[in-house]
């Protein structure tokens, strides 16, 4: 029979993978077992609604056989099996994952567990084998088919005989080399160890026919003898990891369950176990990831927890169990109080699911809080990854969740040199400080360069740096924390005391003529020119008034529908002047003596203020000429 070629891209991928992706060869066994378990999950799920299948959960098992003499290692299952076409399309093209296809074809897509969602698992067999034979019979068919391949050079499919439905993967283990001891995969001890390490939680028994020797005491004077016998041993404990008590499970096991179950490369920052009894009983195992998943901000990413009903997986990502603001959490929920064939619609209304979701929400919140208090380093790591998600959570539904989330927020502080919480800020506030000060910009260094932040730092007051595009919206939604209002450093009225305020007011009156001149010179650009009480070393700064700040302006422009509406979004600009600065005196003199030059000075000062506020110059070339013209 003619050999069929792997699709071109598969071939390359296969070569690559065999050599490099899996440096740890041991994991091939885990991949085979996961595939077998997936196949049993599929049939187990179908059997829920199709009586003709005639199987229940307890009928499923996975079998491993070792044939040392012929160097064969076989992993068999009695799951769904594959037809000829399925063998070809599932195993002939690497990137095509049959598991995914099966799920897409189902009415309720999320309703089934599939460990493997990337189509490379099966090929890991070639890391340890020079030939792989897959025999399979679909649960609803009489025909069995056999797929054979020696790796990159293609595969063959032919009809074969097979008892019972399901799949057997027969791996012909490679000869040992100087570097690799492949023979170890034909030792029952190795197999036993690998199953315990990687596949212990698989819900179906993984059986191995173990060869053993026992001592038989001789009768009367006869010497004792040793005899060989075989014993069918179940290698895995089968108790799902979330059903075990926390104390019994080493941390590494939780971590490896996370990476295998959710296909994550990162180490979770926190593992949460729940064992609730009462109104609704359930167990949950939840993870706070250590990294932002690569697809987190795409529609591919699915919020939700895996939902099991008494150990049978009924839904892969049940959204109802997790609020949007904690959508980064991964995990598993197992309960007896939700029926096995619950549908999406009834699930949404299910009182039990609501109770579970409520408990989970509360628990995640308290765990994050605990982490913040007791494990600050990891919390900050978490916050860098998912802080933005919490902020969106505050903005959602008009701030409905803001009470619950505000204590999880962190901001950089001007006096503490790191991230601080709002509670910490408030606890340090001197008695006479009325407001929580903040300044916003792209990053802390840029904010530090804003002239209007100088005075606050000079006075040793604490200021929060708002560096996320949504930060100011969050602050607006919160309005206050612990009865203290937030105040932007742009707002000088908050910064100075009554006495100082009065002085600034007087100066504004005194220089009214000059301010009017500036306002006129910059008509259309600024709303007003003003004497400032908060400038130290710079002659001017630009601040915004009227609810929209510069940062909000930038953000709103990026999300605006079209150019026209983007153009309409504009913060009201106020040009603040420093009356103590030399330039101010120069300007004053020019207004009286040389109005033309004074007008130019106004435009230069405005340009400087824009630059310092991180706003683009309308016409950089004109600005450059202006500066040149003033030099001479
Ligand atoms: P993945 O499991 O990530 O989808 P694999 O390369 O491991 O990718 O397997 C490819 C496909 O082959 C699976 O999606 C599944 O449809 C099919 N398959 C593999 N092993 C078995 C098995 N033991 N029983 C039934 N189908 C299987």
């Amino acid at each position: 029979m003619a050999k069929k070629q792997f699709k071109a891209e598969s071939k390359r991928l296969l070569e690559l993978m065999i050599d490099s992706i899996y440096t740890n060869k041991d994991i091939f066994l885990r991949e085979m077992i996961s595939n077998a378990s997936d196949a049993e999950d599929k049939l187990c799920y179908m059997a829920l609604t199709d009586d003709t299948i005639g199987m229940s959960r307890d009928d499923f098992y996975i079998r491993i056989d070792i044939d040392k003499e012929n160097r064969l290692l076989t992993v068999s299952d009695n799951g769904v099996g594959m037809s000829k076409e399925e063998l070809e399309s599932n195993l002939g093209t690497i990137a095509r994952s049959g598991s995914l296809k099966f799920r897409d074809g189902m009415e309720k897509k999320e309703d089934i567990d599939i460990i493997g969602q990337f189509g490379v698992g099966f090929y890991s067999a070639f890391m340890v084998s020079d030939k792989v034979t897959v025999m399979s019979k679909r649960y609803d068919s009489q025909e069995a088919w056999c797929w054979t391949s020696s790796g990159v050079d293609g595969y063959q499919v032919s009809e074969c005989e097979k008892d019972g439905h399901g799949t057997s993967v027969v791996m012909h283990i490679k000869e040992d080399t100087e570097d690799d001891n492949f023979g170890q995969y034909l030792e029952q001890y190795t197999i036993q160890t690998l199953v315990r390490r990687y596949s212990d939680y698989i819900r179906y028994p993984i059986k191995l026919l173990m060869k053993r020797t026992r001592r038989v005491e001789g009768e009367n004077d006869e010497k004792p003898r040793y005899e060989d016998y075989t014993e069918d041993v179940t290698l895995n404990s089968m108790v799902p990891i979330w059903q075990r008590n926390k104390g019994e499970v080493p941390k590494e096991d939780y971590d490896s369950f996370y990476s295998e179950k959710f296909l994550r490369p990162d180490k979770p920052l926190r593992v949460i176990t729940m064992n609730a009894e009462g109104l609704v009983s359930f167990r949950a195992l939840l993870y706070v990831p250590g990294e932002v998943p690569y697809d987190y901000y795409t529609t591919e990413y699915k919020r939700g927890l895996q939902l099991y009903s008494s150990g049978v997986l009924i839904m892969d990502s049940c959204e109802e169990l997790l609020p949007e603001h904690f959508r980064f959490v991964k995990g598993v929920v197992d309960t007896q109080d939700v029926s096995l064939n619950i549908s999406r619609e009834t699930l949404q209304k299910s009182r039990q699911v609501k109770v579970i979701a409520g408990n989970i929400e509360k628990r995640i919140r308290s765990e994050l809080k605990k982490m913040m208090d007791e494990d600050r380093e990891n919390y900050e790591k978490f916050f860098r990854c998912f802080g933005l998600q919490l902020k969106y959570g505050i903005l959602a539904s008009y701030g409905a969740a803001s009470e619950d989330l505000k204590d999880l927020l962190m901001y950089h502080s001007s006096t503490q040199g790191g991230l601080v919480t709002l509670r910490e800020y408030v606890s340090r506030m001197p008695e006479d400080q009325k407001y929580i000060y903040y300044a916003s910009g792209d990053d802390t260094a840029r904010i530090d360069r804003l002239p209007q932040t100088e005075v606050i730092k000079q006075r040793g007051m604490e200021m929060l740096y708002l560096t996320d595009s949504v930060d100011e919206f969050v602050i607006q939604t919160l309005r206050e924390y612990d009865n203290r209002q937030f105040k932007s450093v742009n707002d000088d009225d908050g910064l100075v005391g009554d006495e100082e305020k009065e002085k600034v007011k007087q100066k504004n009156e005194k220089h009214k003529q000059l301010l009017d001149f500036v306002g006129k010179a910059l008509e259309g650009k600024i709303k007003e020119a003003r004497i400032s009480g908060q400038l130290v070393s710079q002659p001017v700064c630009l601040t915004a008034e009227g609810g929209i700040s510069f940062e909000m302006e930038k953000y709103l422009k990026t999300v605006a529908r079209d150019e026209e509406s983007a153009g309409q979004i504009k913060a009201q600009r106020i040009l603040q002047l420093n009356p103590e600065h030399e330039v101010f005196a120069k300007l004053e003199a020019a207004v009286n003596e040389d109005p033309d030059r004074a007008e130019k000075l106004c435009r230069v000062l405005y340009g400087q203020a824009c630059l310092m506020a991180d706003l683009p110059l309308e016409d950089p070339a004109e600005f450059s000429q202006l500066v040149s013209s003033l030099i001479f």
Side-chain angles (χ1 to χ4, degrees):
M1 179 184 251
K3 261 193 188 163
K4 299 197 182 181
Q5 288 298 313
F6 287 110
K7 298 212 167 144
E9 71 274 24
S10 311
K11 206 164 157 176
R12 257 212 45 200
L13 196 62
L14 184 52
E15 281 165 346
L16 263 175
M17 198 204 67
I18 293 172
D19 292 344
S20 60
I21 296 182
Y22 291 124
T23 45
N24 176 8
K25 296 195 166 49
D26 289 352
I27 57 99
F28 84 96
L29 188 63
R30 176 190 84 193
E31 297 298 319
M32 297 310 117
I33 291 172
S34 294
N35 279 348
S37 163
D38 279 356
E40 302 192 325
D41 273 352
K42 287 176 193 168
L43 195 57
C44 184
Y45 177 81
M46 291 187 212
L48 286 177
T49 49
D50 183 350
D51 290 339
T52 63
I53 293 171
M55 286 183 84
S56 72
R57 222 196 126 203
D58 297 339
D59 299 325
F60 293 99
Y61 62 86
I62 296 165
R63 179 127 244 111
I64 299 180
D65 290 292
I66 300 174
D67 175 354
K68 225 169 169 173
E69 224 168 293
N70 297 305
R71 290 188 81 84
L72 298 178
L73 177 67
T74 305
V75 176
S76 312
D77 65 70
N78 56 348
V80 270
M82 284 178 275
S83 65
K84 182 179 183 234
E85 292 69 35
E86 284 169 327
L87 272 171
E88 295 204 1
S89 68
N90 291 343
L91 307 184
T93 314
I94 296 184
R96 147 109 40 96
S97 166
S99 297
L100 267 185
K101 229 176 136 202
F102 174 83
R103 218 169 68 160
D104 287 348
M106 291 200 347
E107 236 178 280
K108 299 171 241 143
K109 289 190 185 173
E110 299 86 349
D111 292 10
I112 195 156
D113 166 41
I114 279 102
I115 298 171
Q117 304 215 348
F118 300 124
V120 287
F122 169 74
Y123 291 89
S124 60
F126 288 104
M127 292 191 301
V128 298
S129 335
D130 41 31
K131 184 174 162 193
V132 179
T133 303
V134 180
M135 287 177 286
S136 198
K137 189 193 242 176
R138 251 186 84 104
Y139 74 101
D140 55 359
S141 168
Q142 297 304 316
E143 293 170 4
W145 290 90
C146 174
W147 179 100
T148 310
S149 171
S150 308
V152 283
D153 62 339
Y155 60 91
Q156 280 177 308
V157 180
S158 57
E159 202 164 356
C160 69
E161 289 292 314
K162 185 183 182 313
D163 293 337
H165 60 82
T167 304
S168 292
V169 179
V170 186
M171 290 163 274
H172 184 266
I173 301 297
K174 288 182 186 172
E175 292 300 327
D176 291 354
T177 64
E178 249 177 51
D179 297 333
D180 288 302
N181 169 15
F182 293 110
Q184 62 172 317
Y185 300 121
L186 296 162
E187 301 294 340
Q188 44 189 39
Y189 174 75
T190 313
I191 298 300
Q192 194 172 15
T193 314
L194 293 183
V195 169
R196 292 238 176 94
R197 182 177 314 149
Y198 294 116
S199 311
D200 199 49
Y201 62 87
I202 292 285
R203 294 183 298 285
Y204 308 101
I206 302 170
K207 296 182 180 190
L208 176 67
L209 200 62
M210 287 257 225
K211 288 201 175 67
R212 295 202 155 143
T213 306
R214 67 182 152 212
R215 183 186 156 115
V216 185
E217 295 303 329
E219 280 172 32
N220 303 329
D221 286 347
E222 280 178 50
K223 286 186 199 144
R225 319 181 265 115
Y226 289 89
E227 67 173 23
D228 293 338
Y229 71 103
T230 53
E231 192 182 11
D232 216 4
V233 185
T234 296
L235 301 180
N236 54 330
S237 65
M238 282 191 294
V239 183
I241 193 163
W242 59 87
Q243 290 292 2
R244 288 161 61 190
N245 292 328
K246 193 167 189 181
E248 297 166 7
V249 184
K251 171 85 171 59
E252 304 83 66
D253 287 13
Y254 280 130
D255 288 357
S256 59
F257 177 78
Y258 168 80
S259 57
E260 281 156 37
K261 186 83 175 173
F262 305 107
L263 300 166
R264 291 296 185 73
D266 56 312
K267 217 169 136 131
L269 286 175
R270 200 161 184 101
V271 180
I272 305 167
T273 56
M274 295 177 76
N275 182 8
E277 268 164 43
L279 210 55
V280 179
S281 303
F282 70 96
R283 274 184 181 255
L285 172 58
L286 311 172
Y287 293 92
V288 176
E291 274 171 25
V292 182
Y294 71 96
D295 59 353
Y296 192 63
Y297 292 104
T298 71
T299 47
E300 295 288 296
Y301 183 88
K302 293 217 164 47
R303 153 165 68 107
L305 301 174
Q306 284 199 329
L307 179 61
Y308 288 81
S309 172
S310 314
V312 178
L313 187 97
I314 55 169
M315 206 168 277
D316 203 26
S317 42
C318 178
E319 287 187 11
E320 285 73 13
L321 289 172
L322 263 190
E324 181 66 14
H325 51 257
F326 291 150
R327 70 199 286 269
F328 46 82
V329 171
K330 288 270 127 196
V332 170
V333 173
D334 198 341
T335 174
Q336 296 171 346
D337 297 336
V338 172
S339 96
L340 261 181
N341 37 20
I342 189 165
S343 74
R344 278 234 133 243
E345 294 68 43
T346 44
L347 192 90
Q348 269 163 10
K349 287 186 223 119
S350 159
R351 193 180 52 85
Q352 284 88 342
V353 171
K354 283 208 178 95
V355 173
I356 298 176
N359 281 336
I360 286 178
E361 213 263 34
K362 233 188 273 158
R363 180 62 187 277
I364 297 173
R365 219 185 319 133
S366 74
E367 287 286 330
L368 289 175
K369 194 80 204 8
K370 232 192 201 154
M371 198 169 151
M372 176 191 259
D373 296 338
E374 296 163 7
D375 186 7
R376 186 52 86 89
E377 200 180 312
N378 271 336
Y379 186 80
E380 290 187 8
K381 204 168 159 205
F382 155 77
F383 194 77
R384 283 192 194 97
C385 291
F386 301 108
L388 192 59
Q389 183 69 65
L390 301 180
K391 291 173 187 175
Y392 280 123
I394 288 181
L395 296 181
S397 319
Y398 307 101
S402 57
E403 274 306 301
D404 291 339
L405 297 178
K406 63 183 181 189
D407 279 315
L408 296 175
L409 294 176
M410 294 196 104
Y411 293 99
H412 276 280
S413 147
S414 59
T415 56
Q416 306 300 308
L419 291 168
V420 302
T421 66
L422 294 173
R423 166 130 336 275
E424 287 160 359
Y425 183 103
V426 166
S427 72
R428 277 190 291 269
M429 274 170 80
E431 237 171 70
D432 57 348
Q433 185 181 331
K434 252 170 89 181
Y435 302 109
I436 301 172
Y437 293 109
Y438 68 87
S440 40
D442 285 348
D443 53 55
T444 52
R446 278 166 194 249
I447 294 174
D448 273 333
R449 289 197 294 265
L450 290 175
Q452 59 269 46
T453 62
E454 254 183 323
V455 71
I456 200 162
K457 283 180 285 179
Q458 198 184 50
R459 294 181 188 184
M461 289 161 112
E462 188 171 2
M463 168 183 85
L464 301 176
Y465 296 83
L466 269 47
T467 50
D468 267 337
S469 52
V470 295
D471 276 338
E472 283 185 297
F473 298 95
V474 170
I475 294 291
Q476 274 196 354
T477 306
L478 293 179
R479 268 195 239 111
E480 51 162 50
Y481 181 88
D482 206 14
N483 294 324
R484 320 290 166 104
Q485 280 181 358
F486 292 98
K487 195 92 175 167
S488 162
V489 296
N490 283 341
D491 221 341
D492 60 353
D493 122 65
L495 256 184
V496 293
D498 286 346
E499 213 174 295
E500 269 174 280
K501 233 189 249 177
E502 188 52 38
K503 272 192 205 152
V504 174
K505 202 173 148 207
Q506 283 170 9
K507 282 186 194 160
N508 267 297
E509 279 160 19
K510 184 174 156 207
H511 298 289
K512 185 161 185 314
Q513 197 198 344
L514 174 113
L515 294 172
D516 285 346
F517 182 92
V518 179
K520 206 132 177 257
L522 298 173
E523 208 172 323
K525 293 185 176 24
I526 62 167
K527 183 179 167 242
E528 203 182 295
R530 223 178 262 166
I531 299 287
S532 163
Q534 67 187 122
L535 285 171
V536 182
S537 65
Q538 293 288 352
V540 282
C541 75
L542 202 63
T543 58
E545 229 176 53
I548 299 185
S549 71
F550 297 136
E551 293 313 308
M552 290 161 106
E553 176 185 304
K554 281 185 213 161
Y555 178 75
L556 290 171
K557 272 189 199 297
T558 61
V559 298
R561 252 175 306 127
D562 48 44
E563 289 232 346
E564 200 193 329
S565 48
Q568 282 165 1
I569 300 162
K570 206 154 185 173
Q572 288 178 3
R573 286 148 165 76
I574 306 290
L575 185 70
Q576 310 248 14
L577 299 163
N578 180 358
E580 316 304 333
H581 201 279
E582 286 183 88
V583 165
F584 188 84
K586 290 251 157 77
L587 178 66
E588 211 167 25
V591 169
N592 295 325
E593 293 152 21
D594 184 354
D596 267 359
R597 185 179 158 81
E599 206 218 302
K600 280 185 188 169
L601 267 175
C602 289
R603 276 155 54 204
V604 169
L605 286 173
Y606 174 70
Q608 286 176 275
C610 285
L611 288 174
M612 287 189 289
D614 244 327
L615 294 167
L617 291 174
E618 276 161 41
D619 189 342
E622 189 213 9
F623 182 74
S624 162
Q625 266 168 359
L626 258 176
V627 173
S628 306
S629 75
L630 287 171
I631 292 174
F632 303 108

